[in-house]
Amino acid sequence: MKRILVPSDLSDISENALRVAVDIADRADAEIYLINFTEHPVETFTATGEIDKKYADEENIYTVQLVQKYQQQLSALSTKYGAGGRTIHFQVYDDELKGGIVDFIKDYNIDLVVMGTSGEESADEFFSGNHTEQVIEVATCPVLSVKKHYVKSDYNTIILGLDTERDSKDNFSQAAAYLNDLADSLGARIDIVNIVKPGTNDKVKIERKLIDFAARYGIKDHSVTIVESDDKEKGLINFARTHSAGLLAVFSHAEDGFFRIFRDNLSEELTMSSDVPVLTINLHNV
């Protein structure tokens, strides 16, 4: 866990995500990449942060000035949170968010994306999800979503909400490796939790499946818990709250467009509802 990407729209929500990224980076001795994704015609900045004027033609002057403003704001955030020798790189990246994330993760070998989220989804975003969900759909590394009012806590426990269902595209080996890496970096223990309906009779069988899963994929320093609840989302969130979890992790099958809407996407529900930061690993991408 050496490189953390924080996409920023320079809002209070994304600054809160930066605070969480700093907490994790301090524990993991990681570098942070604070990036604003905006399509623009600017190719270079001078050593003082000014735009190279040969690229600032009149046709693009408004966008150029906007990029310059973003660059200055990112620089200020880097200075504000870079105290104590932290490494925070910053850049206005020439691409829209969804496509830019894919390229940036690949080009810079990013290990974790930390994103702020309002926990809201407007009608015009329904078919593509909010920005965090769009990133989860395409990211080839884990994505940590942080609500805007999240207050710093310890990261001693990671709750992994795990189902026993799977398909041929699921890459559990890599997902478990990512989770172990993060847990090692944070010094955290993993509690594997499965939510079952009240009165379920085969809890012993389910527990055995979870134990076998942990052994097969090498999940370190863990425990297994079966929780009864009529609602998976509420059951996981309540368990995370009552056990003072630092992170709530889920393995996702995030899909694009219409197909995503008709799936029981627990990751999306948790991202919208949970006050505990939600770590999502897309099993089809990692």
Side-chain angles (χ1 to χ4, degrees):
M1 191 64 60
K2 294 302 180 184
R3 289 165 294 275
I4 300 172
L5 168 61
V6 182
S8 175
D9 61 359
L10 300 163
S11 65
D12 291 341
I13 293 173
S14 60
E15 184 172 352
N16 196 40
L18 176 58
R19 293 189 188 99
V20 174
V22 166
D23 290 342
I24 295 173
D26 285 349
R27 289 168 170 80
D29 192 24
E31 298 181 1
I32 294 174
Y33 291 81
L34 179 64
I35 307 299
N36 174 271
F37 290 89
T38 299
E39 291 182 286
H40 63 77
V42 179
E43 295 189 21
T44 62
F45 288 87
T46 67
T48 60
E50 297 295 317
I51 290 173
D52 190 330
K53 296 300 182 183
K54 68 180 180 180
Y55 297 108
D57 56 84
E58 291 184 5
E59 182 180 353
N60 295 308
I61 192 65
Y62 173 76
T63 303
V64 167
Q65 290 174 341
L66 190 63
V67 169
Q68 187 174 32
K69 177 183 176 182
Y70 289 166
Q71 186 79 358
Q72 291 168 347
Q73 290 176 300
L74 291 172
S75 177
L77 286 169
S78 176
T79 300
K80 179 178 178 180
Y81 292 98
R86 297 189 192 101
T87 302
I88 301 180
H89 310 278
F90 61 91
Q91 179 183 352
V92 181
Y93 192 83
D94 180 18
D95 205 343
E96 47 82 28
L97 177 64
K98 194 171 181 179
I101 284 279
V102 174
D103 292 338
F104 199 93
I105 290 173
K106 179 181 178 182
D107 292 344
Y108 289 85
N109 295 314
I110 297 299
D111 300 305
L112 175 68
V113 177
V114 180
M115 287 192 69
T117 179
S118 65
E120 300 170 356
E121 185 172 42
S122 63
D124 60 350
E125 291 179 315
F126 184 67
F127 291 97
S128 60
N130 67 15
H131 289 153
T132 305
E133 281 304 313
Q134 291 180 43
V135 171
I136 289 171
E137 288 172 3
V138 298
T140 53
C141 68
V143 178
L144 181 64
S145 58
V146 182
K147 292 287 282 293
K148 58 184 176 181
H149 298 306
Y150 173 72
V151 179
K152 178 181 176 181
S153 67
D154 65 62
Y155 299 99
N156 295 332
T157 303
I158 298 175
I159 303 298
L160 171 61
L162 190 64
D163 251 331
T164 54
E165 297 178 5
R166 62 193 67 184
D167 64 45
S168 60
K169 295 181 182 179
D170 291 344
N171 189 349
F172 280 110
S173 296
Q174 186 58 49
Y178 274 125
L179 191 62
N180 281 331
D181 186 24
L182 180 60
D184 285 344
S185 297
L186 297 177
R189 178 176 175 80
I190 299 169
D191 193 351
I192 302 173
V193 176
N194 182 264
I195 307 297
V196 300
K197 294 289 186 182
T200 297
N201 295 321
D202 56 351
K203 286 188 285 187
V204 173
K205 181 180 179 181
I206 294 172
E207 184 177 16
R208 171 48 57 188
K209 283 186 176 181
L210 298 179
I211 292 171
D212 290 345
F213 173 90
R216 178 177 180 181
Y217 295 105
I219 294 181
K220 304 175 184 177
D221 192 16
H222 70 277
S223 56
V224 170
T225 305
I226 306 296
V227 176
E228 291 189 352
S229 176
D230 286 316
D231 187 294
K232 287 184 180 181
E233 173 195 340
K234 291 179 180 178
L236 272 176
I237 291 174
N238 289 337
F239 186 86
R241 285 174 179 163
T242 56
H243 288 74
S244 301
L247 302 176
L248 178 55
V250 287
F251 295 156
S252 170
H253 305 265
E255 301 287 349
D256 203 1
F258 284 97
F259 189 54
R260 181 179 64 82
I261 295 171
F262 294 103
R263 296 190 68 154
D264 179 18
N265 195 331
L266 182 61
S267 165
E268 181 177 351
E269 295 170 2
L270 290 172
T271 298
M272 296 295 183
S273 304
S274 176
D275 292 328
V276 178
V278 178
L279 180 77
T280 305
I281 303 176
N282 189 333
L283 293 169
H284 292 179
N285 290 350
V286 296

